[in-house]
Amino acid sequence: MTTSSELGKLIVVTGASTGMGAATARELARRGFHVLAGVRREHDAGTIRSARIEPVILDITRPEHVEALTTRVTDDPRALHALINNAGIQVNAPVEVLPLDQWRQAFEVNLFGHIAVTQALLPALLHSKGRVINISSIGGRIAMATYGAYAGAKFALEAVSDSLRREIAPLGVQVIVIEPGGIRTQMASRGITTANRLAARMTPEQDTRYSTLIQANNKLMASGTASGLTPDAAAQIITKAATARRPHTRYTAGRDATLATRLARLLPDRALDNILAANLRRHQPQKPTP
């Protein structure tokens, strides 16, 4: 529950153009916060702008954008209650296939950009005794086939979050991780488009090795998205992390995320490998009957 002392405080939400980020910005504004909503295009700014939502053009991989956001926060007399690091991209391809520049881009957006924004806003959060909320993924606990780059960045974000929490908890700043499973957003569809584009560039040998895997994974992503949480439901969990007096260090979002984290914790690697492989086989393209 939002307290009267929190009303009017600032919250920064990155990646707020659509999906979970936009839904979270709207829910926090409804609770009385003034939300600085990071968007990448002026069109998105016009879509999300409201009385308590102030769009900020923000590509977290561009230092000048991060600097402008920092100046905006520093110049505001209101306290910064929370930073919600939500921006992200999904890239799916086998480790052998994904070009190194795509690996670097995945880490720039899903890890280093969050670190840059966090470093820039930590002085304001230390002053206000605020909190950092990092939107990770079930991919930060389990790295499925073709998720090497995405899960690699999310695993790293989880580790950075743990380290940061232990560094700044004694200084009064809380660090919280959100681990969503399937969410009904455009992220998975964009990921499928990227996967198909990368697959089209594979060598014939790579196509033989991985084409069935990529097709099955695309169907699994689409299925998981269709049955996942709505952005509004995910926003409720993020808002709880932002407003709870004593928040957990981690929240899962969705039954699939809760189940997967339990399996990862309880099962040996080979057993988990077999379960994930069996799930993928259910989505493999059917061979034509002779």
Side-chain angles (χ1 to χ4, degrees), residues 10-253:
L10 297 178
I11 289 186
V12 171
V13 181
T14 70
S17 298
T18 59
M20 279 194 304
T24 300
R26 293 189 178 102
E27 178 59 22
L28 289 167
R30 190 184 70 80
R31 301 282 188 102
F33 292 100
H34 185 85
V35 181
L36 299 178
V39 300
R40 295 186 63 191
R41 297 176 294 270
E42 289 291 347
H43 170 74
D44 297 325
T47 300
I48 199 170
R49 189 187 308 275
S50 71
R52 291 187 181 273
I53 299 178
E54 178 185 337
V56 177
I57 299 299
L58 178 64
D59 179 338
I60 62 173
T61 68
R62 294 181 60 175
E64 67 273 20
H65 286 192
V66 176
E67 183 179 355
L69 171 64
T70 306
T71 300
R72 171 66 188 82
V73 170
T74 302
D75 289 347
D76 198 298
R78 294 168 289 194
L80 179 61
H81 176 72
L83 162 63
I84 301 176
N85 285 312
N86 172 70
I89 58 172
Q90 186 160 342
V91 179
N92 290 85
V95 171
E96 179 187 356
V97 171
L98 189 64
L100 274 178
D101 63 335
Q102 296 280 320
W103 280 89
R104 294 187 176 102
Q105 178 66 9
F107 274 74
E108 283 293 336
V109 177
N110 294 331
L111 177 66
F112 298 129
H114 297 319
I115 294 172
V117 177
T118 301
Q119 286 180 333
L121 295 184
L122 257 182
L125 290 166
L126 288 165
H127 180 74
S128 67
K129 309 295 185 186
R131 58 191 68 182
V132 178
I133 301 172
N134 288 329
I135 309 301
S136 179
S137 166
I138 187 53
R141 293 294 192 95
I142 297 178
M144 296 184 293
T146 78
Y147 279 76
Y150 180 78
K154 293 297 187 180
F155 265 70
L157 182 63
E158 298 257 355
V160 170
S161 299
D162 284 345
S163 184
L164 181 64
R165 186 181 69 252
R166 290 159 185 157
E167 292 165 2
I168 63 178
L171 304 176
V173 178
Q174 302 182 74
V175 178
I176 303 144
V177 173
I178 310 291
E179 297 167 337
I183 307 292
R184 295 179 220 170
T185 69
Q186 300 173 6
M187 190 172 186
S189 63
R190 289 194 293 262
I192 291 171
T193 299
T194 301
N196 288 335
R197 185 172 67 249
L198 291 167
R201 302 174 185 172
M202 292 192 299
T203 66
E205 293 80 7
Q206 291 171 340
D207 186 75
T208 299
R209 287 194 282 270
Y210 302 121
S211 62
T212 299
L213 169 64
I214 291 169
Q215 293 177 62
N217 191 66
N218 285 347
K219 289 184 178 180
L220 178 59
M221 275 197 291
S223 173
T225 298
S227 62
L229 288 181
T230 65
D232 287 340
Q236 291 291 333
I237 297 169
I238 298 169
T239 299
K240 181 178 180 181
T243 57
R245 189 173 66 86
R246 297 188 64 181
H248 302 312
T249 58
R250 280 177 170 79
Y251 293 85
T252 56

